[in-house]
Amino acid sequence: MKKLFWLLVVILLIITFSDHNLSRPYKDQLFALIADKVAITGDSKEAALRTTRKQLLALSEQWGEGQQTQLDKASSSIDNLLRFQRNYCKNGDFNPFLYGEPLKQSCAIIESQIHNLTKP
């Protein structure tokens, strides 16, 4: 119990004194890590969505703006992600922004999380 208390005190101190430009990226990474861990313990569907969204957006950084926008829309909700996976990965519909290798990589990322996304 004492360890948890001191951990919370340290986190609150970091939050309080972390407005400096040098420490801001680390604070943002810490918040993202905490948000991911909280999502994992709470709802596995939301955690899978966050993980998939993070992986898709990291992958799309090397691509064009249209492809990034397409993946951002597709990963905005679980329903949109499942619809994207059904239409473009399973059915093979044509996507004017994502085709070829970028589509295959996107589908592979979605397929790695599909069992968590479709849990009841």
Side-chain angles (χ1 to χ4, degrees), residues 75-96:
S75 62
S76 63
S77 71
I78 294 173
D79 292 333
N80 289 347
L81 198 59
L82 294 175
R83 188 177 309 116
F84 179 88
Q85 190 266 344
R86 183 186 66 236
N87 290 342
Y88 302 116
C89 300
K90 277 188 176 179
N91 295 342
D93 293 347
F94 177 72
N95 188 326

mmCIF file of all heavy atoms in Angstrom, residues 75-96:
data_model
loop_
_atom_site.group_PDB
_atom_site.id
_atom_site.type_symbol
_atom_site.label_atom_id
_atom_site.label_comp_id
_atom_site.label_asym_id
_atom_site.label_seq_id
_atom_site.Cartn_x
_atom_site.Cartn_y
_atom_site.Cartn_z
ATOM 1 N N SER A 75 -9.975 3.748 -38.299
ATOM 2 C CA SER A 75 -9.697 3.318 -36.926
ATOM 3 C C SER A 75 -10.356 4.208 -35.880
ATOM 4 O O SER A 75 -10.005 4.143 -34.707
ATOM 5 C CB SER A 75 -8.183 3.278 -36.697
ATOM 6 O OG SER A 75 -7.633 4.562 -36.848
ATOM 7 N N SER A 76 -11.321 5.018 -36.282
ATOM 8 C CA SER A 76 -11.962 5.915 -35.326
ATOM 9 C C SER A 76 -12.910 5.184 -34.382
ATOM 10 O O SER A 76 -13.164 5.643 -33.280
ATOM 11 C CB SER A 76 -12.703 7.031 -36.056
ATOM 12 O OG SER A 76 -13.734 6.485 -36.852
ATOM 13 N N SER A 77 -13.456 4.050 -34.805
ATOM 14 C CA SER A 77 -14.327 3.264 -33.926
ATOM 15 C C SER A 77 -14.195 1.786 -34.284
ATOM 16 O O SER A 77 -13.671 1.433 -35.345
ATOM 17 C CB SER A 77 -15.784 3.708 -34.054
ATOM 18 O OG SER A 77 -16.314 3.305 -35.301
ATOM 19 N N ILE A 78 -14.707 0.944 -33.410
ATOM 20 C CA ILE A 78 -14.635 -0.496 -33.647
ATOM 21 C C ILE A 78 -15.461 -0.874 -34.866
ATOM 22 O O ILE A 78 -15.027 -1.680 -35.693
ATOM 23 C CB ILE A 78 -15.098 -1.271 -32.393
ATOM 24 C CG1 ILE A 78 -14.112 -1.027 -31.246
ATOM 25 C CG2 ILE A 78 -15.213 -2.755 -32.686
ATOM 26 C CD1 ILE A 78 -14.528 -1.600 -29.926
ATOM 27 N N ASP A 79 -16.649 -0.284 -35.005
ATOM 28 C CA ASP A 79 -17.500 -0.584 -36.155
ATOM 29 C C ASP A 79 -16.825 -0.195 -37.467
ATOM 30 O O ASP A 79 -16.876 -0.956 -38.444
ATOM 31 C CB ASP A 79 -18.849 0.119 -36.032
ATOM 32 C CG ASP A 79 -19.687 -0.432 -34.895
ATOM 33 O OD1 ASP A 79 -19.497 -1.616 -34.543
ATOM 34 O OD2 ASP A 79 -20.522 0.313 -34.364
ATOM 35 N N ASN A 80 -16.216 0.983 -37.498
ATOM 36 C CA ASN A 80 -15.521 1.414 -38.716
ATOM 37 C C ASN A 80 -14.352 0.494 -39.044
ATOM 38 O O ASN A 80 -14.110 0.180 -40.207
ATOM 39 C CB ASN A 80 -15.009 2.847 -38.571
ATOM 40 C CG ASN A 80 -16.118 3.858 -38.594
ATOM 41 O OD1 ASN A 80 -17.252 3.552 -38.951
ATOM 42 N ND2 ASN A 80 -15.801 5.071 -38.208
ATOM 43 N N LEU A 81 -13.644 0.053 -38.024
ATOM 44 C CA LEU A 81 -12.504 -0.825 -38.240
ATOM 45 C C LEU A 81 -12.952 -2.186 -38.765
ATOM 46 O O LEU A 81 -12.352 -2.733 -39.692
ATOM 47 C CB LEU A 81 -11.718 -0.986 -36.940
ATOM 48 C CG LEU A 81 -10.308 -1.497 -37.043
ATOM 49 C CD1 LEU A 81 -9.468 -0.580 -37.910
ATOM 50 C CD2 LEU A 81 -9.688 -1.608 -35.672
ATOM 51 N N LEU A 82 -14.021 -2.719 -38.196
ATOM 52 C CA LEU A 82 -14.547 -4.001 -38.675
ATOM 53 C C LEU A 82 -15.106 -3.880 -40.088
ATOM 54 O O LEU A 82 -14.964 -4.799 -40.901
ATOM 55 C CB LEU A 82 -15.600 -4.535 -37.708
ATOM 56 C CG LEU A 82 -15.084 -4.935 -36.323
ATOM 57 C CD1 LEU A 82 -16.237 -5.339 -35.423
ATOM 58 C CD2 LEU A 82 -14.066 -6.052 -36.430
ATOM 59 N N ARG A 83 -15.744 -2.756 -40.393
ATOM 60 C CA ARG A 83 -16.263 -2.522 -41.747
ATOM 61 C C ARG A 83 -15.108 -2.426 -42.748
ATOM 62 O O ARG A 83 -15.170 -2.996 -43.841
ATOM 63 C CB ARG A 83 -17.103 -1.249 -41.781
ATOM 64 C CG ARG A 83 -17.833 -1.023 -43.075
ATOM 65 C CD ARG A 83 -18.706 0.222 -43.044
ATOM 66 N NE ARG A 83 -19.585 0.276 -41.878
ATOM 67 C CZ ARG A 83 -19.528 1.197 -40.915
ATOM 68 N NH1 ARG A 83 -18.654 2.172 -40.982
ATOM 69 N NH2 ARG A 83 -20.362 1.162 -39.893
ATOM 70 N N PHE A 84 -14.051 -1.711 -42.380
ATOM 71 C CA PHE A 84 -12.867 -1.603 -43.236
ATOM 72 C C PHE A 84 -12.265 -2.979 -43.481
ATOM 73 O O PHE A 84 -11.935 -3.330 -44.622
ATOM 74 C CB PHE A 84 -11.838 -0.686 -42.576
ATOM 75 C CG PHE A 84 -10.563 -0.526 -43.354
ATOM 76 C CD1 PHE A 84 -10.462 0.465 -44.311
ATOM 77 C CD2 PHE A 84 -9.477 -1.352 -43.129
ATOM 78 C CE1 PHE A 84 -9.283 0.633 -45.034
ATOM 79 C CE2 PHE A 84 -8.308 -1.200 -43.840
ATOM 80 C CZ PHE A 84 -8.217 -0.207 -44.797
ATOM 81 N N GLN A 85 -12.140 -3.769 -42.424
ATOM 82 C CA GLN A 85 -11.560 -5.106 -42.543
ATOM 83 C C GLN A 85 -12.426 -5.989 -43.437
ATOM 84 O O GLN A 85 -11.910 -6.719 -44.283
ATOM 85 C CB GLN A 85 -11.402 -5.719 -41.145
ATOM 86 C CG GLN A 85 -10.612 -7.001 -41.099
ATOM 87 C CD GLN A 85 -11.474 -8.232 -41.159
ATOM 88 O OE1 GLN A 85 -12.688 -8.192 -40.954
ATOM 89 N NE2 GLN A 85 -10.856 -9.350 -41.433
ATOM 90 N N ARG A 86 -13.731 -5.921 -43.290
ATOM 91 C CA ARG A 86 -14.631 -6.738 -44.101
ATOM 92 C C ARG A 86 -14.583 -6.323 -45.574
ATOM 93 O O ARG A 86 -14.447 -7.160 -46.454
ATOM 94 C CB ARG A 86 -16.057 -6.639 -43.572
ATOM 95 C CG ARG A 86 -17.048 -7.519 -44.327
ATOM 96 C CD ARG A 86 -18.480 -7.305 -43.890
ATOM 97 N NE ARG A 86 -18.898 -5.949 -44.243
ATOM 98 C CZ ARG A 86 -19.367 -5.052 -43.381
ATOM 99 N NH1 ARG A 86 -19.482 -5.356 -42.107
ATOM 100 N NH2 ARG A 86 -19.720 -3.841 -43.773
ATOM 101 N N ASN A 87 -14.668 -5.019 -45.820
ATOM 102 C CA ASN A 87 -14.739 -4.541 -47.202
ATOM 103 C C ASN A 87 -13.426 -4.705 -47.958
ATOM 104 O O ASN A 87 -13.422 -5.201 -49.090
ATOM 105 C CB ASN A 87 -15.161 -3.072 -47.237
ATOM 106 C CG ASN A 87 -16.594 -2.877 -46.827
ATOM 107 O OD1 ASN A 87 -17.391 -3.809 -46.830
ATOM 108 N ND2 ASN A 87 -16.930 -1.667 -46.451
ATOM 109 N N TYR A 88 -12.327 -4.282 -47.371
ATOM 110 C CA TYR A 88 -11.082 -4.195 -48.121
ATOM 111 C C TYR A 88 -10.149 -5.380 -47.900
ATOM 112 O O TYR A 88 -9.369 -5.711 -48.793
ATOM 113 C CB TYR A 88 -10.358 -2.891 -47.800
ATOM 114 C CG TYR A 88 -11.210 -1.690 -48.105
ATOM 115 C CD1 TYR A 88 -11.618 -0.830 -47.096
ATOM 116 C CD2 TYR A 88 -11.629 -1.429 -49.396
ATOM 117 C CE1 TYR A 88 -12.411 0.269 -47.380
ATOM 118 C CE2 TYR A 88 -12.428 -0.341 -49.686
ATOM 119 C CZ TYR A 88 -12.811 0.507 -48.675
ATOM 120 O OH TYR A 88 -13.605 1.580 -48.961
ATOM 121 N N CYS A 89 -10.212 -6.012 -46.739
ATOM 122 C CA CYS A 89 -9.315 -7.140 -46.484
ATOM 123 C C CYS A 89 -9.953 -8.467 -46.896
ATOM 124 O O CYS A 89 -9.319 -9.282 -47.552
ATOM 125 C CB CYS A 89 -8.920 -7.174 -45.008
ATOM 126 S SG CYS A 89 -8.078 -5.686 -44.447
ATOM 127 N N LYS A 90 -11.199 -8.676 -46.491
ATOM 128 C CA LYS A 90 -11.870 -9.938 -46.819
ATOM 129 C C LYS A 90 -12.443 -9.933 -48.229
ATOM 130 O O LYS A 90 -12.171 -10.826 -49.025
ATOM 131 C CB LYS A 90 -12.996 -10.220 -45.829
ATOM 132 C CG LYS A 90 -12.568 -10.851 -44.554
ATOM 133 C CD LYS A 90 -13.775 -11.260 -43.759
ATOM 134 C CE LYS A 90 -13.375 -11.990 -42.510
ATOM 135 N NZ LYS A 90 -14.556 -12.365 -41.727
ATOM 136 N N ASN A 91 -13.283 -8.938 -48.534
ATOM 137 C CA ASN A 91 -13.979 -8.915 -49.820
ATOM 138 C C ASN A 91 -13.094 -8.449 -50.970
ATOM 139 O O ASN A 91 -13.411 -8.691 -52.127
ATOM 140 C CB ASN A 91 -15.220 -8.023 -49.748
ATOM 141 C CG ASN A 91 -16.250 -8.561 -48.790
ATOM 142 O OD1 ASN A 91 -16.230 -9.728 -48.419
ATOM 143 N ND2 ASN A 91 -17.172 -7.707 -48.384
ATOM 144 N N GLY A 92 -12.025 -7.758 -50.684
ATOM 145 C CA GLY A 92 -11.111 -7.300 -51.718
ATOM 146 C C GLY A 92 -11.629 -6.131 -52.532
ATOM 147 O O GLY A 92 -11.241 -5.954 -53.691
ATOM 148 N N ASP A 93 -12.514 -5.320 -51.948
ATOM 149 C CA ASP A 93 -13.011 -4.135 -52.651
ATOM 150 C C ASP A 93 -11.856 -3.177 -52.935
ATOM 151 O O ASP A 93 -10.855 -3.148 -52.223
ATOM 152 C CB ASP A 93 -14.077 -3.414 -51.824
ATOM 153 C CG ASP A 93 -15.351 -4.226 -51.682
ATOM 154 O OD1 ASP A 93 -15.506 -5.226 -52.415
ATOM 155 O OD2 ASP A 93 -16.193 -3.860 -50.837
ATOM 156 N N PHE A 94 -12.032 -2.359 -53.962
ATOM 157 C CA PHE A 94 -10.993 -1.398 -54.333
ATOM 158 C C PHE A 94 -11.059 -0.178 -53.420
ATOM 159 O O PHE A 94 -12.111 0.410 -53.225
ATOM 160 C CB PHE A 94 -11.158 -0.963 -55.789
ATOM 161 C CG PHE A 94 -10.155 0.069 -56.207
ATOM 162 C CD1 PHE A 94 -8.827 -0.273 -56.389
ATOM 163 C CD2 PHE A 94 -10.530 1.386 -56.394
ATOM 164 C CE1 PHE A 94 -7.895 0.676 -56.767
ATOM 165 C CE2 PHE A 94 -9.608 2.345 -56.776
ATOM 166 C CZ PHE A 94 -8.289 1.985 -56.960
ATOM 167 N N ASN A 95 -9.926 0.194 -52.901
ATOM 168 C CA ASN A 95 -9.796 1.400 -52.103
ATOM 169 C C ASN A 95 -8.878 2.347 -52.866
ATOM 170 O O ASN A 95 -7.727 2.013 -53.127
ATOM 171 C CB ASN A 95 -9.198 1.071 -50.732
ATOM 172 C CG ASN A 95 -9.207 2.240 -49.786
ATOM 173 O OD1 ASN A 95 -9.053 3.371 -50.195
ATOM 174 N ND2 ASN A 95 -9.371 1.951 -48.515
ATOM 175 N N PRO A 96 -9.365 3.534 -53.243
ATOM 176 C CA PRO A 96 -8.542 4.429 -54.058
ATOM 177 C C PRO A 96 -7.307 4.982 -53.334
ATOM 178 O O PRO A 96 -6.369 5.431 -53.980
ATOM 179 C CB PRO A 96 -9.501 5.559 -54.431
ATOM 180 C CG PRO A 96 -10.575 5.512 -53.417
ATOM 181 C CD PRO A 96 -10.686 4.089 -52.962
#
